Amino acid sequence: RTRVAVRGMGGGSGAGDADQKLRVLCLHGFTQNGETFRQRTGSIRKQLKKKIDFVFIDAPHDASGAFGDDDASALGTAGDVVGPRAWWLVGENAAASVAATRAARDDDDDGDDDSAPTTSSSAAPVRPVQSRQMRGWDDAAAVIADAVEMFGPFDGVLGFSQGASAAALALALVPSLRDTVRFAVLFSGFEPMDPAATAALHAARITARSMHVHGHADRMVSRERTEALARSFADPEFFFHEGGHGVPLSKEFRDALRSFALDTRPGAATTTQLA
């Protein structure tokens, strides 16, 4: 069932009436959830709260244990009700887990000889940006379609990291979202390496105006991967900043975002911003 955290759902009707608030669907990053993403976008939402209703939803997949307790604590999901979520799961990690379970079972079958070698899974887990095997995208597409039905129509979509890539895929593959969205703001987005996902994006040629935001110090997603995702859009804009893997908080960015999001006239152009 779709989990939705809704904030600021005032009188806006969404999708087109210039006298009403715009409505933007917000997709969190891997191992975040809707509430943690809402908290991390507070400064940009504050500046736009009179113009935009932001709708935050939770991804369908449980990502508990993906990176350990320290990461969950840093992300703000440790101990909360929803916990860490994912728009899709990493097939390589699932395969590694099965292999480790089989190895442990084989060790048990060999008896209790302490001198026998044991097998452990010491490899670091594969992150979504590195994965060539997406699992469970259909569930994410269904959650997004449900959100459109329940809280749409949406004028825009905003996503971070895996959520940015999910937003792009949804604009390619979820007609009810694609048909009304006029702009996308994607933070640290990346083109998935899964062949089916890549093919879907290349075939789509998404017409919504897009702003692709990337930090020079981002060690999770390279600028090249962000630019690869942007090539799926007909007319991408870029905002580069000095920060890392996150949502920039500078006044320069907030002003650029406001100008981009509120300039919803058909065919309107926006200026590339650098910071």
Side-chain angles (χ1 to χ4, degrees):
R1 181 175 177 175
T2 305
R3 296 190 182 98
V4 183
V6 183
R7 298 294 184 273
M9 293 283 288
S13 60
D17 189 338
D19 295 328
Q20 300 290 342
K21 284 186 177 183
L22 302 177
R23 187 161 295 175
V24 173
L25 179 65
C26 304
L27 307 183
H28 60 79
F30 184 61
T31 70
Q32 294 182 333
N33 58 45
E35 177 58 21
T36 58
F37 191 37
R38 187 190 72 83
Q39 294 172 5
R40 289 168 184 256
T41 54
S43 65
I44 61 176
R45 289 187 295 103
K46 181 178 181 180
Q47 181 164 319
L48 292 167
K49 64 181 181 180
K50 293 183 179 180
K51 299 292 185 179
I52 296 178
D53 287 330
F54 294 90
V55 180
F56 294 82
I57 65 174
D58 299 320
H61 301 290
D62 183 1
S64 297
F67 302 130
D69 293 340
D70 290 343
D71 292 278
S73 178
L75 290 167
T77 56
D80 73 5
V81 175
V82 177
R85 312 298 296 179
W87 295 103
W88 67 81
L89 298 174
V90 175
E92 292 91 337
N93 293 342
S97 177
V98 170
T101 299
R102 288 175 177 171
R105 186 183 304 118
D106 291 343
D107 286 344
D108 289 341
D109 291 342
D110 288 338
D112 297 327
D113 184 356
D114 292 338
S115 65
T118 58
T119 302
S120 63
S121 178
S122 59
V126 176
R127 293 178 180 267
V129 69
Q130 304 163 323
S131 174
R132 296 179 183 274
Q133 301 177 29
M134 292 172 55
R135 297 291 183 268
W137 165 252
D138 288 346
D139 295 324
V143 164
I144 292 168
D146 285 348
V148 174
E149 181 178 356
M150 295 167 64
F151 300 106
F154 291 103
D155 303 278
V157 61
L158 183 151
F160 170 63
S161 195
Q162 191 194 43
S165 301
L169 280 168
L171 289 173
L173 298 172
V174 180
S176 60
L177 185 71
R178 180 185 61 230
D179 289 348
T180 65
V181 163
R182 290 175 287 164
F183 67 91
V185 180
L186 307 180
F187 302 95
S188 297
F190 55 88
E191 182 181 77
M193 297 173 68
D194 180 279
T198 302
L201 286 170
H202 289 180
R205 196 62 174 170
I206 301 165
T207 58
R209 295 185 304 114
S210 60
M211 174 186 280
H212 302 265
V213 183
H214 186 266
H216 296 306
D218 192 333
R219 297 182 179 180
M220 298 278 290
V221 176
S222 69
R223 177 169 170 172
E224 289 74 19
R225 296 292 299 279
T226 290
E227 290 175 338
L229 181 66
R231 286 194 286 272
S232 296
F233 290 79
D235 189 21
E237 306 281 342
F238 295 90
F239 186 100
F240 299 112
H241 60 95
E242 297 299 327
H245 191 69
V247 177
L249 304 178
S250 67
K251 183 179 184 302
E252 290 82 3
F253 174 70
R254 296 197 307 270
D255 289 346
L257 175 62
R258 180 182 179 87
S259 175
F260 177 83
L262 299 184
D263 189 359
T264 57
R265 293 169 296 165
T270 57
T271 302
T272 300
Q273 299 286 334
L274 299 177

